[in-house]
Amino acid sequence: MFEPVKLKDIAKALNVSVSTVSRSLSGGHEISEKTRNIVLRYAQKLNYRQNPIALSLKERRSRSIGVVISEVANSYFSQAISGIESIAYDRGYHIFITQTHESADREIANVQHLSSRSVDGLLISLASETQEISHLKSLHDKGLPIVFFDRVSPEIETHKVIANNYKGAFEATVHLIKSGFRRIAHITGAHHLSTSKDRLRGYLAALDLYSIPCKPEYIIYCENGGMIQAETDAAIAQLALMPDRPDALFIGGDKLSTGCLSALKKQGLQVPQDIAIAGFTNSDVAELFKPSLTAVSQPAYQIGQKAAEMLIQLIESKKPVTQFETEMFSTELIVRKSTDKV
Amino acid sequence: MFEPVKLKDIAKALNVSVSTVSRSLSGGHEISEKTRNIVLRYAQKLNYRQNPIALSLKERRSRSIGVVISEVANSYFSQAISGIESIAYDRGYHIFITQTHESADREIANVQHLSSRSVDGLLISLASETQEISHLKSLHDKGLPIVFFDRVSPEIETHKVIANNYKGAFEATVHLIKSGFRRIAHITGAHHLSTSKDRLRGYLAALDLYSIPCKPEYIIYCENGGMIQAETDAAIAQLALMPDRPDALFIGGDKLSTGCLSALKKQGLQVPQDIAIAGFTNSDVAELFKPSLTAVSQPAYQIGQKAAEMLIQLIESKKPVTQFETEMFSTELIVRKSTDKV
DNA sequence: GTGAAAGCGCTAACAC
DNA sequence: GTGTTAGCGCTTTCAC
């Protein structure tokens, strides 16, 4: 098998002690220039690499961070991951990515697994199903740094990074209203998620501003957040059958937006003739849909970067951090054909 | 900070030795039922977890595998990752995902980083830019298990997992021909990639079967594999300007397929009226495009699973493996509107 | 300036 | 059946 060079090998070959080698390599001051150079040169020649596992054991940290998301196959998350990765890489951290597929059980298992793998910190966007976060709380109480992004929880006081979901939803809804639609429904993710709540508030605020009464039956929660297409189909079917069928739809989720487009197609409803839609999505192909999709896009890459930065800062902070921030990024409304009034 | 329970804590509390605790926990036979029960119960109560880092140091393996792909934001790879993850998780392995973004330099850095992080093995799909794989060869020669998937290299003898790219391309091209198209161009990824070569062969074989002469100018390589949209746009522009403009297009890459759709739109070419298209893609929204996209879909999840299985088998094999296999999976042709003859 | 030795958490060979 | 000890690769304190 693969046998990397270790300090002992170098020490033996050079007839010095292991500690001399270690000190030379780590740039210790108390080493003679001459010895250091010899060691350095030899180590270089043998392509010596520190064994990170031994180092972790020694330092009692792993230089790795755990990432918990619902799915990589989601444009928002895959972009966020790239952002996280870019920062982590720069700072010498590795990332463990785990997927919950929106299941609370898998989230618990993943978090458990990661913490037992001694990650130095956790970056998490909660699963749709998760309502109770004692699995995170206990870890956090024990001192494990955690930074929330996207779907956050008020129950743990720590850094959080989110998009301005309220404003994004508000703008999208206003755009629908200004385009001439009045019967605007809202399909969104699990009711307890922070993102769902904020987006709902934005939607309601826009209706309110234009004095459009809000119909409770126009608000539909998809508890699986688009993970299960049948649920999305059912939501659309429900809207389609209403006597006072909506003429527009504001969708509060990445997976849901494409899911609704697909469901509407199955229902035989034309977009935007029968019903206009605008939705949160970071898809890079929203332009190509039939019709092209008016989208609320989040700066997912930057959100990932910021979250990683904050986590690493937390990890590397000498004294316990007590001041926590919630960083908020602006969304962008990209108007396309799915909200054209015809 | 976060201080997990260790064997020593349990030993001290129970007034036994560390080894007794270790043996009880690992189900050693030479322990009295009584002691074991006491230890087990206490460990349970304290929620004891083995420290995987210490274990790795001891066992000289990390129970983790490195995954090198071009991008997670790619339907094929995100599905493959899920497959890899499902197997790895079952077998007690963690995965490190790294992205090359098609750059050879980043691939080298990632591989280097992973190997220095002591992964037990590597799962890799080569970057578009990679032509020279000595960085992998040297690691492989030193005994690091490597399994290739998707984009493989003949230069290293090991297990490989791929889709039947030849047949997938053949079927897609035949479908275009049978639909009545004759001037069929082929846009594909970097010329040296195994996938590009196999798909080209399939395309040529189909043309040949129907005695359609192959025009060299109808074959365009996008060396960045759709990563840079400008390159894809240029390829389409080139085709659009030909005096004998193709009436159909077979596309040999996931990112390229959507990229071409977008480029055609910019060129003002209607699909399929002006030009029909069929392409490799695992996108779950190919149905929603305008027009819906005829796709060659790969069983990415299964490919990921198989690759992970093979790698773990390699890792855990007692004796050096000398017999290597290349596992091939069938693709599926999903016919949609983008290849309708009008 | 350099070496010896302890210790990070764990397992296992070797005592008893 | 249980304890003692060495060792995985590394850093760092303490001697010299």
Side-chain angles (χ1 to χ4, degrees), chain A residues 187-224:
Chain A
I187 290 190
T188 192
H191 72 280
H192 55 276
L193 288 178
S194 59
T195 44
S196 301
K197 288 180 186 162
D198 292 343
R199 290 168 194 175
L200 174 62
R201 282 196 304 114
Y203 160 79
L204 292 175
L207 292 188
D208 190 52
L209 182 66
Y210 287 83
S211 308
I212 299 175
C214 156
K215 290 196 172 194
E217 67 269 31
Y218 273 9
I219 298 170
I220 301 187
Y221 294 98
C222 288
E223 301 295 336
N224 293 292

mmCIF file of all heavy atoms in Angstrom, chain A residues 187-224:
data_model
loop_
_atom_site.group_PDB
_atom_site.id
_atom_site.type_symbol
_atom_site.label_atom_id
_atom_site.label_comp_id
_atom_site.label_asym_id
_atom_site.label_seq_id
_atom_site.Cartn_x
_atom_site.Cartn_y
_atom_site.Cartn_z
ATOM 1 N N ILE A 187 -47.651 29.585 -3.633
ATOM 2 C CA ILE A 187 -47.280 28.211 -3.275
ATOM 3 C C ILE A 187 -45.894 28.274 -2.670
ATOM 4 O O ILE A 187 -44.989 28.889 -3.236
ATOM 5 C CB ILE A 187 -47.265 27.290 -4.512
ATOM 6 C CG1 ILE A 187 -48.700 27.069 -4.985
ATOM 7 C CG2 ILE A 187 -46.609 25.951 -4.185
ATOM 8 C CD1 ILE A 187 -48.836 25.993 -6.043
ATOM 9 N N THR A 188 -45.747 27.662 -1.530
ATOM 10 C CA THR A 188 -44.442 27.774 -0.877
ATOM 11 C C THR A 188 -44.068 26.482 -0.164
ATOM 12 O O THR A 188 -44.807 25.498 -0.203
ATOM 13 C CB THR A 188 -44.443 28.987 0.089
ATOM 14 O OG1 THR A 188 -43.119 29.262 0.511
ATOM 15 C CG2 THR A 188 -45.338 28.721 1.302
ATOM 16 N N GLY A 189 -42.909 26.487 0.469
ATOM 17 C CA GLY A 189 -42.397 25.280 1.121
ATOM 18 C C GLY A 189 -43.002 25.050 2.493
ATOM 19 O O GLY A 189 -44.033 25.643 2.833
ATOM 20 N N ALA A 190 -42.381 24.186 3.242
ATOM 21 C CA ALA A 190 -42.897 23.820 4.569
ATOM 22 C C ALA A 190 -43.199 25.073 5.394
ATOM 23 O O ALA A 190 -42.429 26.028 5.394
ATOM 24 C CB ALA A 190 -41.890 22.932 5.278
ATOM 25 N N HIS A 191 -44.308 25.033 6.095
ATOM 26 C CA HIS A 191 -44.826 26.241 6.750
ATOM 27 C C HIS A 191 -43.925 26.786 7.854
ATOM 28 O O HIS A 191 -43.940 27.958 8.164
ATOM 29 C CB HIS A 191 -46.209 25.962 7.321
ATOM 30 C CG HIS A 191 -46.175 25.065 8.519
ATOM 31 N ND1 HIS A 191 -46.049 23.695 8.420
ATOM 32 C CD2 HIS A 191 -46.211 25.349 9.840
ATOM 33 C CE1 HIS A 191 -46.018 23.179 9.630
ATOM 34 N NE2 HIS A 191 -46.117 24.145 10.516
ATOM 35 N N HIS A 192 -43.111 25.912 8.464
ATOM 36 C CA HIS A 192 -42.323 26.363 9.608
ATOM 37 C C HIS A 192 -40.942 26.878 9.204
ATOM 38 O O HIS A 192 -40.212 27.395 10.029
ATOM 39 C CB HIS A 192 -42.172 25.213 10.598
ATOM 40 C CG HIS A 192 -41.594 23.989 9.955
ATOM 41 N ND1 HIS A 192 -42.367 23.083 9.275
ATOM 42 C CD2 HIS A 192 -40.319 23.566 9.846
ATOM 43 C CE1 HIS A 192 -41.591 22.134 8.795
ATOM 44 N NE2 HIS A 192 -40.347 22.400 9.115
ATOM 45 N N LEU A 193 -40.568 26.705 7.931
ATOM 46 C CA LEU A 193 -39.245 27.162 7.512
ATOM 47 C C LEU A 193 -39.146 28.678 7.514
ATOM 48 O O LEU A 193 -40.095 29.370 7.143
ATOM 49 C CB LEU A 193 -38.921 26.648 6.103
ATOM 50 C CG LEU A 193 -38.618 25.160 5.964
ATOM 51 C CD1 LEU A 193 -38.382 24.822 4.496
ATOM 52 C CD2 LEU A 193 -37.413 24.763 6.804
ATOM 53 N N SER A 194 -37.997 29.178 7.894
ATOM 54 C CA SER A 194 -37.787 30.623 7.937
ATOM 55 C C SER A 194 -38.005 31.243 6.562
ATOM 56 O O SER A 194 -38.594 32.308 6.424
ATOM 57 C CB SER A 194 -36.377 30.935 8.431
ATOM 58 O OG SER A 194 -35.409 30.352 7.579
ATOM 59 N N THR A 195 -37.531 30.536 5.533
ATOM 60 C CA THR A 195 -37.672 31.067 4.182
ATOM 61 C C THR A 195 -39.149 31.186 3.802
ATOM 62 O O THR A 195 -39.574 32.190 3.234
ATOM 63 C CB THR A 195 -36.960 30.149 3.170
ATOM 64 O OG1 THR A 195 -37.270 28.791 3.485
ATOM 65 C CG2 THR A 195 -35.454 30.319 3.239
ATOM 66 N N SER A 196 -39.939 30.163 4.133
ATOM 67 C CA SER A 196 -41.372 30.208 3.818
ATOM 68 C C SER A 196 -42.034 31.387 4.517
ATOM 69 O O SER A 196 -42.817 32.127 3.918
ATOM 70 C CB SER A 196 -42.068 28.918 4.268
ATOM 71 O OG SER A 196 -41.480 27.809 3.635
ATOM 72 N N LYS A 197 -41.699 31.549 5.773
ATOM 73 C CA LYS A 197 -42.321 32.635 6.546
ATOM 74 C C LYS A 197 -41.985 33.997 5.973
ATOM 75 O O LYS A 197 -42.859 34.846 5.794
ATOM 76 C CB LYS A 197 -41.850 32.557 8.005
ATOM 77 C CG LYS A 197 -42.459 31.397 8.769
ATOM 78 C CD LYS A 197 -41.936 31.404 10.203
ATOM 79 C CE LYS A 197 -42.416 30.176 10.965
ATOM 80 N NZ LYS A 197 -41.599 29.953 12.171
ATOM 81 N N ASP A 198 -40.712 34.207 5.687
ATOM 82 C CA ASP A 198 -40.293 35.512 5.179
ATOM 83 C C ASP A 198 -40.897 35.800 3.810
ATOM 84 O O ASP A 198 -41.298 36.919 3.513
ATOM 85 C CB ASP A 198 -38.763 35.578 5.087
ATOM 86 C CG ASP A 198 -38.121 35.569 6.475
ATOM 87 O OD1 ASP A 198 -38.839 35.834 7.463
ATOM 88 O OD2 ASP A 198 -36.905 35.293 6.562
ATOM 89 N N ARG A 199 -40.931 34.785 2.990
ATOM 90 C CA ARG A 199 -41.476 34.995 1.644
ATOM 91 C C ARG A 199 -42.976 35.254 1.716
ATOM 92 O O ARG A 199 -43.507 36.076 0.971
ATOM 93 C CB ARG A 199 -41.150 33.787 0.753
ATOM 94 C CG ARG A 199 -39.656 33.729 0.436
ATOM 95 C CD ARG A 199 -39.156 32.450 -0.186
ATOM 96 N NE ARG A 199 -37.685 32.420 -0.113
ATOM 97 C CZ ARG A 199 -36.928 31.387 -0.487
ATOM 98 N NH1 ARG A 199 -37.491 30.291 -0.970
ATOM 99 N NH2 ARG A 199 -35.615 31.463 -0.372
ATOM 100 N N LEU A 200 -43.630 34.563 2.624
ATOM 101 C CA LEU A 200 -45.061 34.795 2.807
ATOM 102 C C LEU A 200 -45.308 36.244 3.247
ATOM 103 O O LEU A 200 -46.197 36.928 2.733
ATOM 104 C CB LEU A 200 -45.622 33.829 3.858
ATOM 105 C CG LEU A 200 -47.092 34.057 4.245
ATOM 106 C CD1 LEU A 200 -47.997 33.866 3.034
ATOM 107 C CD2 LEU A 200 -47.520 33.121 5.369
ATOM 108 N N ARG A 201 -44.491 36.711 4.165
ATOM 109 C CA ARG A 201 -44.645 38.095 4.628
ATOM 110 C C ARG A 201 -44.483 39.079 3.480
ATOM 111 O O ARG A 201 -45.239 40.056 3.361
ATOM 112 C CB ARG A 201 -43.609 38.416 5.717
ATOM 113 C CG ARG A 201 -43.953 37.867 7.098
ATOM 114 C CD ARG A 201 -43.113 38.552 8.178
ATOM 115 N NE ARG A 201 -41.673 38.446 7.934
ATOM 116 C CZ ARG A 201 -40.877 39.462 7.663
ATOM 117 N NH1 ARG A 201 -41.362 40.698 7.609
ATOM 118 N NH2 ARG A 201 -39.583 39.267 7.457
ATOM 119 N N GLY A 202 -43.514 38.813 2.629
ATOM 120 C CA GLY A 202 -43.286 39.706 1.492
ATOM 121 C C GLY A 202 -44.478 39.711 0.548
ATOM 122 O O GLY A 202 -44.918 40.761 0.067
ATOM 123 N N TYR A 203 -44.995 38.538 0.317
ATOM 124 C CA TYR A 203 -46.173 38.379 -0.545
ATOM 125 C C TYR A 203 -47.359 39.148 0.022
ATOM 126 O O TYR A 203 -48.016 39.936 -0.666
ATOM 127 C CB TYR A 203 -46.458 36.880 -0.651
ATOM 128 C CG TYR A 203 -47.847 36.470 -1.087
ATOM 129 C CD1 TYR A 203 -48.216 36.500 -2.430
ATOM 130 C CD2 TYR A 203 -48.768 36.003 -0.149
ATOM 131 C CE1 TYR A 203 -49.490 36.077 -2.817
ATOM 132 C CE2 TYR A 203 -50.029 35.584 -0.531
ATOM 133 C CZ TYR A 203 -50.387 35.628 -1.867
ATOM 134 O OH TYR A 203 -51.637 35.206 -2.251
ATOM 135 N N LEU A 204 -47.584 38.975 1.316
ATOM 136 C CA LEU A 204 -48.723 39.632 1.962
ATOM 137 C C LEU A 204 -48.550 41.146 1.964
ATOM 138 O O LEU A 204 -49.520 41.894 1.743
ATOM 139 C CB LEU A 204 -48.875 39.118 3.403
ATOM 140 C CG LEU A 204 -49.298 37.652 3.535
ATOM 141 C CD1 LEU A 204 -49.305 37.223 4.993
ATOM 142 C CD2 LEU A 204 -50.666 37.425 2.888
ATOM 143 N N ALA A 205 -47.327 41.586 2.204
ATOM 144 C CA ALA A 205 -47.076 43.025 2.254
ATOM 145 C C ALA A 205 -47.378 43.667 0.905
ATOM 146 O O ALA A 205 -47.932 44.776 0.831
ATOM 147 C CB ALA A 205 -45.632 43.291 2.662
ATOM 148 N N ALA A 206 -47.023 42.965 -0.174
ATOM 149 C CA ALA A 206 -47.269 43.497 -1.509
ATOM 150 C C ALA A 206 -48.769 43.585 -1.776
ATOM 151 O O ALA A 206 -49.272 44.606 -2.261
ATOM 152 C CB ALA A 206 -46.587 42.621 -2.560
ATOM 153 N N LEU A 207 -49.485 42.530 -1.429
ATOM 154 C CA LEU A 207 -50.946 42.554 -1.617
ATOM 155 C C LEU A 207 -51.532 43.713 -0.827
ATOM 156 O O LEU A 207 -52.363 44.477 -1.317
ATOM 157 C CB LEU A 207 -51.572 41.240 -1.102
ATOM 158 C CG LEU A 207 -51.256 39.954 -1.866
ATOM 159 C CD1 LEU A 207 -52.106 38.813 -1.334
ATOM 160 C CD2 LEU A 207 -51.506 40.135 -3.368
ATOM 161 N N ASP A 208 -51.058 43.830 0.393
ATOM 162 C CA ASP A 208 -51.568 44.863 1.285
ATOM 163 C C ASP A 208 -51.337 46.255 0.708
ATOM 164 O O ASP A 208 -52.229 47.096 0.704
ATOM 165 C CB ASP A 208 -50.871 44.713 2.640
ATOM 166 C CG ASP A 208 -51.529 45.597 3.679
ATOM 167 O OD1 ASP A 208 -52.772 45.508 3.817
ATOM 168 O OD2 ASP A 208 -50.812 46.387 4.326
ATOM 169 N N LEU A 209 -50.133 46.449 0.198
ATOM 170 C CA LEU A 209 -49.774 47.758 -0.339
ATOM 171 C C LEU A 209 -50.739 48.177 -1.450
ATOM 172 O O LEU A 209 -51.075 49.343 -1.600
ATOM 173 C CB LEU A 209 -48.337 47.722 -0.881
ATOM 174 C CG LEU A 209 -47.801 49.034 -1.435
ATOM 175 C CD1 LEU A 209 -47.660 50.066 -0.321
ATOM 176 C CD2 LEU A 209 -46.444 48.823 -2.107
ATOM 177 N N TYR A 210 -51.167 47.190 -2.217
ATOM 178 C CA TYR A 210 -52.075 47.492 -3.317
ATOM 179 C C TYR A 210 -53.524 47.211 -2.942
ATOM 180 O O TYR A 210 -54.383 47.083 -3.803
ATOM 181 C CB TYR A 210 -51.666 46.718 -4.578
ATOM 182 C CG TYR A 210 -50.415 47.289 -5.204
ATOM 183 C CD1 TYR A 210 -49.154 46.924 -4.736
ATOM 184 C CD2 TYR A 210 -50.497 48.238 -6.227
ATOM 185 C CE1 TYR A 210 -47.996 47.469 -5.285
ATOM 186 C CE2 TYR A 210 -49.357 48.783 -6.778
ATOM 187 C CZ TYR A 210 -48.105 48.402 -6.307
ATOM 188 O OH TYR A 210 -46.989 48.956 -6.849
ATOM 189 N N SER A 211 -53.749 47.076 -1.663
ATOM 190 C CA SER A 211 -55.097 46.850 -1.137
ATOM 191 C C SER A 211 -55.816 45.692 -1.804
ATOM 192 O O SER A 211 -57.000 45.755 -2.115
ATOM 193 C CB SER A 211 -55.950 48.113 -1.290
ATOM 194 O OG SER A 211 -55.268 49.211 -0.729
ATOM 195 N N ILE A 212 -55.050 44.665 -2.055
ATOM 196 C CA ILE A 212 -55.668 43.465 -2.600
ATOM 197 C C ILE A 212 -55.930 42.524 -1.434
ATOM 198 O O ILE A 212 -55.000 42.152 -0.725
ATOM 199 C CB ILE A 212 -54.746 42.773 -3.622
ATOM 200 C CG1 ILE A 212 -54.479 43.738 -4.785
ATOM 201 C CG2 ILE A 212 -55.341 41.462 -4.106
ATOM 202 C CD1 ILE A 212 -53.495 43.206 -5.795
ATOM 203 N N PRO A 213 -57.159 42.164 -1.215
ATOM 204 C CA PRO A 213 -57.438 41.291 -0.080
ATOM 205 C C PRO A 213 -56.759 39.935 -0.252
ATOM 206 O O PRO A 213 -56.666 39.411 -1.376
ATOM 207 C CB PRO A 213 -58.964 41.145 -0.086
ATOM 208 C CG PRO A 213 -59.423 41.642 -1.401
ATOM 209 C CD PRO A 213 -58.377 42.522 -1.971
ATOM 210 N N CYS A 214 -56.294 39.408 0.831
ATOM 211 C CA CYS A 214 -55.606 38.124 0.770
ATOM 212 C C CYS A 214 -56.583 37.002 1.017
ATOM 213 O O CYS A 214 -57.310 36.985 2.005
ATOM 214 C CB CYS A 214 -54.505 38.108 1.832
ATOM 215 S SG CYS A 214 -54.063 36.453 2.342
ATOM 216 N N LYS A 215 -56.607 36.056 0.095
ATOM 217 C CA LYS A 215 -57.480 34.890 0.286
ATOM 218 C C LYS A 215 -56.679 33.751 0.889
ATOM 219 O O LYS A 215 -55.727 33.277 0.258
ATOM 220 C CB LYS A 215 -58.000 34.412 -1.066
ATOM 221 C CG LYS A 215 -58.986 35.336 -1.723
ATOM 222 C CD LYS A 215 -59.676 34.538 -2.817
ATOM 223 C CE LYS A 215 -60.826 35.328 -3.405
ATOM 224 N NZ LYS A 215 -61.689 34.462 -4.223
ATOM 225 N N PRO A 216 -57.066 33.291 2.038
ATOM 226 C CA PRO A 216 -56.311 32.208 2.675
ATOM 227 C C PRO A 216 -56.197 30.979 1.778
ATOM 228 O O PRO A 216 -55.169 30.309 1.784
ATOM 229 C CB PRO A 216 -57.128 31.895 3.926
ATOM 230 C CG PRO A 216 -57.956 33.107 4.179
ATOM 231 C CD PRO A 216 -58.185 33.766 2.869
ATOM 232 N N GLU A 217 -57.239 30.708 1.011
ATOM 233 C CA GLU A 217 -57.173 29.497 0.176
ATOM 234 C C GLU A 217 -56.188 29.652 -0.981
ATOM 235 O O GLU A 217 -55.876 28.694 -1.683
ATOM 236 C CB GLU A 217 -58.567 29.097 -0.334
ATOM 237 C CG GLU A 217 -59.198 30.077 -1.315
ATOM 238 C CD GLU A 217 -60.049 31.127 -0.595
ATOM 239 O OE1 GLU A 217 -59.714 31.471 0.563
ATOM 240 O OE2 GLU A 217 -61.020 31.612 -1.212
ATOM 241 N N TYR A 218 -55.701 30.841 -1.175
ATOM 242 C CA TYR A 218 -54.707 31.068 -2.222
ATOM 243 C C TYR A 218 -53.283 30.751 -1.741
ATOM 244 O O TYR A 218 -52.331 30.855 -2.503
ATOM 245 C CB TYR A 218 -54.752 32.529 -2.679
ATOM 246 C CG TYR A 218 -55.750 32.813 -3.776
ATOM 247 C CD1 TYR A 218 -56.676 31.849 -4.180
ATOM 248 C CD2 TYR A 218 -55.767 34.039 -4.417
ATOM 249 C CE1 TYR A 218 -57.584 32.115 -5.182
ATOM 250 C CE2 TYR A 218 -56.679 34.324 -5.436
ATOM 251 C CZ TYR A 218 -57.586 33.345 -5.800
ATOM 252 O OH TYR A 218 -58.477 33.617 -6.799
ATOM 253 N N ILE A 219 -53.177 30.437 -0.465
ATOM 254 C CA ILE A 219 -51.842 30.138 0.061
ATOM 255 C C ILE A 219 -51.713 28.644 0.313
ATOM 256 O O ILE A 219 -52.458 28.077 1.115
ATOM 257 C CB ILE A 219 -51.584 30.915 1.360
ATOM 258 C CG1 ILE A 219 -51.642 32.417 1.068
ATOM 259 C CG2 ILE A 219 -50.230 30.533 1.958
ATOM 260 C CD1 ILE A 219 -51.645 33.276 2.303
ATOM 261 N N ILE A 220 -50.819 28.015 -0.401
ATOM 262 C CA ILE A 220 -50.682 26.566 -0.260
ATOM 263 C C ILE A 220 -49.249 26.195 0.113
ATOM 264 O O ILE A 220 -48.297 26.614 -0.539
ATOM 265 C CB ILE A 220 -51.072 25.855 -1.569
ATOM 266 C CG1 ILE A 220 -52.515 26.216 -1.929
ATOM 267 C CG2 ILE A 220 -50.918 24.346 -1.420
ATOM 268 C CD1 ILE A 220 -53.053 25.451 -3.111
ATOM 269 N N TYR A 221 -49.133 25.420 1.153
ATOM 270 C CA TYR A 221 -47.819 24.958 1.587
ATOM 271 C C TYR A 221 -47.522 23.576 1.021
ATOM 272 O O TYR A 221 -48.353 22.681 1.101
ATOM 273 C CB TYR A 221 -47.773 24.851 3.113
ATOM 274 C CG TYR A 221 -47.888 26.183 3.817
ATOM 275 C CD1 TYR A 221 -49.104 26.617 4.325
ATOM 276 C CD2 TYR A 221 -46.772 27.005 3.957
ATOM 277 C CE1 TYR A 221 -49.216 27.846 4.965
ATOM 278 C CE2 TYR A 221 -46.875 28.234 4.595
ATOM 279 C CZ TYR A 221 -48.095 28.651 5.099
ATOM 280 O OH TYR A 221 -48.187 29.865 5.728
ATOM 281 N N CYS A 222 -46.365 23.417 0.456
ATOM 282 C CA CYS A 222 -45.918 22.085 0.056
ATOM 283 C C CYS A 222 -44.861 21.679 1.072
ATOM 284 O O CYS A 222 -43.719 22.143 1.003
ATOM 285 C CB CYS A 222 -45.332 22.104 -1.351
ATOM 286 S SG CYS A 222 -46.571 22.307 -2.631
ATOM 287 N N GLU A 223 -45.259 20.855 1.985
ATOM 288 C CA GLU A 223 -44.379 20.543 3.104
ATOM 289 C C GLU A 223 -43.083 19.862 2.667
ATOM 290 O O GLU A 223 -42.088 19.890 3.368
ATOM 291 C CB GLU A 223 -45.105 19.724 4.175
ATOM 292 C CG GLU A 223 -46.341 20.411 4.764
ATOM 293 C CD GLU A 223 -46.013 21.697 5.553
ATOM 294 O OE1 GLU A 223 -44.874 21.824 6.022
ATOM 295 O OE2 GLU A 223 -46.915 22.564 5.664
ATOM 296 N N ASN A 224 -43.113 19.243 1.487
ATOM 297 C CA ASN A 224 -41.894 18.597 1.009
ATOM 298 C C ASN A 224 -41.065 19.503 0.093
ATOM 299 O O ASN A 224 -40.077 19.073 -0.490
ATOM 300 C CB ASN A 224 -42.233 17.305 0.282
ATOM 301 C CG ASN A 224 -42.804 16.290 1.230
ATOM 302 O OD1 ASN A 224 -42.103 15.790 2.094
ATOM 303 N ND2 ASN A 224 -44.094 16.008 1.106
#
